Amino acid sequence: RTNDLLQANNELNTFIYQSSHDLRGPINTIMGLQKLLEEGTVDAENIANMLGRKVNQLEKGQRMLIHSMELRNRDLAVEPVNIRGVIQEVWDKQQGENPSIPLHLQIDQELTFPTDAWVLNIVLENTLDNAVGFQKSKHNQWVRVAALEREGQLEITITDNGIGMTEEVKANATQMFYRGSNLSNGNGLGLYNVKLAVELLQGRMEFEEGVEGGTTVRLSFPGIDSKLNL
């Protein structure tokens, strides 16, 4: 128990220090852009666009931090979830009205599974965000998601044809604040939050090499009894 408490305390200290550091960067940039805007030395439209990007980065980072805390303290709220519907909803929210990358779904329209919809959303949001964010180029990009229920388990496979993951990245990807590529523009909490969410749902996650050097994420979850949360 003492070792667990020491580990939790060290993790909390790291969380507070690193999150403060990561929030400071965008704030400093926003303050600098505001000064340039006040001086009138740079085109206002360009400044507004840069401010918008930094504000979005700051908002996303804050949301990740909040999710980390909520996942640690959440009591599961189990309900029947339409799997194809929730995946499509997450994708549409991320891609907007003009998706730049095609999504290929291999999921029965009627596939419904008892789980916590919000926690499953955390898993899907971050894994799909990585599948999009670590593409090789702007040509021939795609993401494929397959899901089925097998022997009481929900199995979800997310595959992309992006840059892939080295063995080192696979081993460290779910660590707090880990960034495994120079393409990463987040705060390193995405897959950490996925790990927390998968553990909360008593599931499993594996990273494999995908087609064309991309990445395949394999997820499996047991059904959760809405009364017993088991």
Side-chain angles (χ1 to χ4, degrees):
R1 177 177 293 183
T2 300
N3 288 335
D4 289 342
L5 288 173
L6 288 172
Q7 182 178 352
N9 186 62
N10 289 334
E11 191 173 64
L12 179 59
N13 288 335
T14 301
F15 185 86
I16 293 172
Y17 172 80
Q18 190 65 44
S19 59
S20 299
H21 179 270
D22 286 348
L23 290 173
R24 191 70 236 171
I27 289 173
N28 286 340
T29 301
I30 290 171
M31 292 172 65
L33 291 172
Q34 180 188 18
K35 185 175 181 180
L36 290 174
L37 188 59
E38 290 172 349
E39 293 174 350
T41 56
V42 182
D43 180 67
E45 184 176 353
N46 289 335
I47 292 291
N49 289 335
M50 287 187 283
L51 279 171
R53 288 195 293 271
K54 283 300 174 182
V55 168
N56 288 338
Q57 180 184 350
L58 194 59
E59 188 277 332
K60 182 178 180 181
Q62 182 192 40
R63 182 158 36 89
M64 291 283 192
L65 292 170
I66 292 172
H67 288 169
S68 295
M69 292 295 97
E70 290 179 337
L71 286 166
R72 288 179 174 276
N73 300 291
R74 184 175 178 84
D75 293 324
L76 293 177
V78 181
E79 60 183 304
V81 177
N82 181 271
I83 303 304
R84 185 183 179 102
V86 74
I87 291 172
Q88 188 67 62
E89 182 179 347
V90 169
W91 181 263
D92 290 345
K93 182 179 178 181
Q94 289 185 342
Q95 294 287 292
E97 297 181 357
N98 300 301
S100 58
I101 299 176
L103 174 67
H104 305 291
L105 293 177
Q106 299 175 346
I107 308 170
D108 190 289
Q109 293 275 7
E110 305 302 319
L111 176 59
T112 301
F113 199 76
T115 190
D116 185 309
W118 183 83
V119 178
L120 183 61
N121 261 272
I122 297 297
V123 174
L124 296 171
E125 285 177 10
N126 290 290
T127 50
L128 288 174
D129 187 56
N130 276 7
V132 171
F134 293 98
Q135 291 285 335
K136 289 179 181 177
S137 66
K138 294 186 178 180
H139 302 288
N140 193 34
Q141 299 175 336
W142 53 263
V143 175
R144 182 172 66 242
V145 183
L148 55 82
E149 182 177 357
R150 193 200 318 264
E151 298 180 354
Q153 295 270 328
L154 173 65
E155 299 179 4
I156 301 176
T157 304
I158 300 173
T159 304
D160 64 66
N161 62 340
I163 64 173
M165 301 173 73
T166 65
E167 292 303 316
E168 178 183 356
V169 171
K170 290 178 185 177
N172 295 286
T174 60
Q175 290 185 14
M176 183 187 295
F177 299 114
Y178 180 78
R179 297 176 176 90
S181 168
N182 56 12
L183 293 178
S184 177
N185 58 7
N187 60 2
L189 285 176
L191 288 179
Y192 173 75
N193 284 349
V194 170
K195 181 188 75 169
L196 294 180
V198 169
E199 290 174 351
L200 188 57
L201 295 176
Q202 304 164 36
R204 293 183 294 109
M205 174 171 61
E206 297 177 350
F207 300 110
E208 298 177 2
E209 183 176 350
V211 297
E212 302 176 25
T215 300
T216 293
V217 182
R218 296 193 184 278
L219 302 156
S220 63
F221 306 99
I224 302 175
D225 188 285
S226 60
K227 296 180 181 178
L228 301 177
N229 282 352
L230 295 175

